Amino acid sequence: MRIAFFDSGIGGITVLHEAMKQLPHEDFLYFADTLHVPYGTKSKDEVLAFVKKSVDMIIKEEVKALVIACNTATSIAIAELRKTYEMPIIGMEPAVKPALEMNRSSGKRVLVFATPLTLKQSKYRELVSRMDDMGMVDSVPLPELVEFCEQLNVESQQIIDYFLAKLEPFDLRRYGTVVLGCTHYPFYRGVLRKILPSHIQIVDGSSGTVNRLIQLLNDRNQLLGEGQSNIKFMCSSNETAYIQKMEKALEIIQAIGE
């Protein structure tokens, strides 16, 4: 049985990449809802309906766990999905807690990049309220970045200019960590390393999500300890060209590394 990963587009491949590193013997399914990408600029009701329809397609495959590898979809749909399906369902959340812990001794601030819809959700506001007792977190919506990523536009001058414009209002000397709060955003680690001051660390939620996945599968004695891993790519539009894009995206994130 496979471990399934779901996102609106190619962003969740960054989480798949982390799982491949930590679970080298597992078989994976990656499903992208290409008919409705991007989610981050749509309404809550629309996203909930899209996610439910996609998961109904995913469970027709033989899967033993599902990772909602999308922060926006997690914040909107995870509770509903867990009521509906018995298999382990793991979601994403921006890595606010580890980012704050990194900065405890320095007193530096945390800058969270996310989609507009993620930042609007009560789940995100409650996360920040619970973790950020000192008021050290600032949030920045990046609505265009998913579209750039879906075009595999990850290192152009256009991207550099985009980040410089978004960061211009901030005194980066005051910040110690940038949180990539959308699974598409780790594709921009390389660019951000060049733009951000060297003291700023970049974190995302992939490793924490995969650690939780491992814990749940281990509790069920469903982890594989041997065998050759393989990946099946699917998308809601059934486009061969998009499946090829997903394969290319995996190569790109593997090259970017950590």
Side-chain angles (χ1 to χ4, degrees), residues 74-76 78 92-93 121-128:
T74 295
S75 63
I76 289 171
I78 194 76
M92 303 286 303
E93 69 177 20
Q121 295 308 304
S122 58
K123 191 174 189 294
Y124 175 75
R125 294 195 300 270
E126 289 164 5
L127 170 69
V128 173

Side-chain angles (χ1 to χ4, degrees), residues 1-4 25-29 59 61-65 87 217 222 224:
M1 297 180 76
R2 297 177 185 271
I3 300 169
H25 305 296
E26 296 288 343
D27 294 330
F28 301 103
L29 167 68
I59 62 170
E61 306 291 319
E62 289 192 358
V63 299
K64 60 185 178 182
M87 65 180 166
L217 289 178
Q222 288 184 310
L224 298 181

Side-chain angles (χ1 to χ4, degrees), residues 161-234:
D161 292 343
Y162 175 81
F163 276 116
L164 290 175
K166 292 293 184 179
L167 291 168
E168 197 275 333
F170 299 94
D171 180 357
L172 295 178
R173 293 171 298 181
R174 301 177 63 209
Y175 293 86
T177 311
V178 163
V179 176
L180 305 180
C182 169
T183 55
H184 283 79
Y185 296 177
F187 281 96
Y188 298 97
R189 276 182 178 270
V191 169
L192 287 169
R193 285 195 195 104
K194 296 174 185 176
I195 293 173
L196 294 172
S198 59
H199 73 272
I200 293 182
Q201 301 179 79
I202 304 170
V203 298
D204 65 69
S206 295
S207 61
T209 297
V210 174
N211 289 340
R212 180 60 177 158
L213 168 67
I214 292 170
Q215 180 185 22
L216 290 174
L217 289 178
N218 189 53
D219 290 345
R220 291 174 170 235
N221 295 314
Q222 288 184 310
L223 288 175
L224 298 181
E226 59 184 11
Q228 183 70 37
S229 175
N230 71 80
I231 307 166
K232 179 179 182 179
F233 288 102
M234 297 175 63

Side-chain angles (χ1 to χ4, degrees), residues 1-243:
M1 297 180 76
R2 297 177 185 271
I3 300 169
F5 289 77
F6 165 76
D7 187 19
S8 59
I10 62 172
I13 288 174
T14 60
V15 192
L16 170 64
H17 168 57
E18 180 66 26
M20 291 171 63
K21 291 191 297 182
Q22 295 199 43
L23 297 168
H25 305 296
E26 296 288 343
D27 294 330
F28 301 103
L29 167 68
Y30 186 88
F31 186 99
D33 186 14
T34 46
L35 289 175
H36 305 111
V37 65
Y39 280 177
T41 55
K42 293 183 170 63
S43 73
K44 180 177 179 179
D45 289 343
E46 284 178 315
V47 170
L48 182 58
F50 297 153
V51 173
K52 285 181 175 180
K53 186 173 182 179
S54 294
V55 174
D56 283 341
M57 296 174 69
I58 290 169
I59 62 170
K60 292 177 182 177
E61 306 291 319
E62 289 192 358
V63 299
K64 60 185 178 182
L66 172 62
V67 178
I68 305 299
C70 171
N71 293 79
T72 300
T74 295
S75 63
I76 289 171
I78 194 76
E80 188 72 24
L81 294 176
R82 286 173 176 160
K83 292 176 187 175
T84 307
Y85 303 101
E86 293 184 1
M87 65 180 166
I89 300 178
I90 300 92
M92 303 286 303
E93 69 177 20
V96 172
K97 181 179 179 181
L100 285 167
E101 289 173 349
M102 288 177 183
N103 293 355
R104 289 294 182 197
S105 59
S106 68
K108 297 285 188 181
R109 301 185 65 80
V110 172
L111 198 58
V112 178
F113 294 160
T115 67
L117 189 52
T118 291
L119 297 179
K120 289 178 185 175
Q121 295 308 304
S122 58
K123 191 174 189 294
Y124 175 75
R125 294 195 300 270
E126 289 164 5
L127 170 69
V128 173
S129 177
R130 188 170 68 251
M131 300 297 175
D132 184 23
D133 55 351
M134 300 292 289
M136 302 300 285
V137 174
D138 296 311
S139 305
V140 184
L142 300 178
E144 301 87 0
L145 203 54
V146 170
E147 293 278 21
F148 289 143
C149 187
E150 288 294 316
Q151 298 161 11
L152 297 182
N153 181 2
V154 297
E155 287 191 305
S156 69
Q157 186 62 45
Q158 181 185 25
I159 296 299
I160 293 171
D161 292 343
Y162 175 81
F163 276 116
L164 290 175
K166 292 293 184 179
L167 291 168
E168 197 275 333
F170 299 94
D171 180 357
L172 295 178
R173 293 171 298 181
R174 301 177 63 209
Y175 293 86
T177 311
V178 163
V179 176
L180 305 180
C182 169
T183 55
H184 283 79
Y185 296 177
F187 281 96
Y188 298 97
R189 276 182 178 270
V191 169
L192 287 169
R193 285 195 195 104
K194 296 174 185 176
I195 293 173
L196 294 172
S198 59
H199 73 272
I200 293 182
Q201 301 179 79
I202 304 170
V203 298
D204 65 69
S206 295
S207 61
T209 297
V210 174
N211 289 340
R212 180 60 177 158
L213 168 67
I214 292 170
Q215 180 185 22
L216 290 174
L217 289 178
N218 189 53
D219 290 345
R220 291 174 170 235
N221 295 314
Q222 288 184 310
L223 288 175
L224 298 181
E226 59 184 11
Q228 183 70 37
S229 175
N230 71 80
I231 307 166
K232 179 179 182 179
F233 288 102
M234 297 175 63
C235 60
S236 57
S237 58
N238 292 315
E239 296 175 74
T240 300
Y242 197 90
I243 289 173

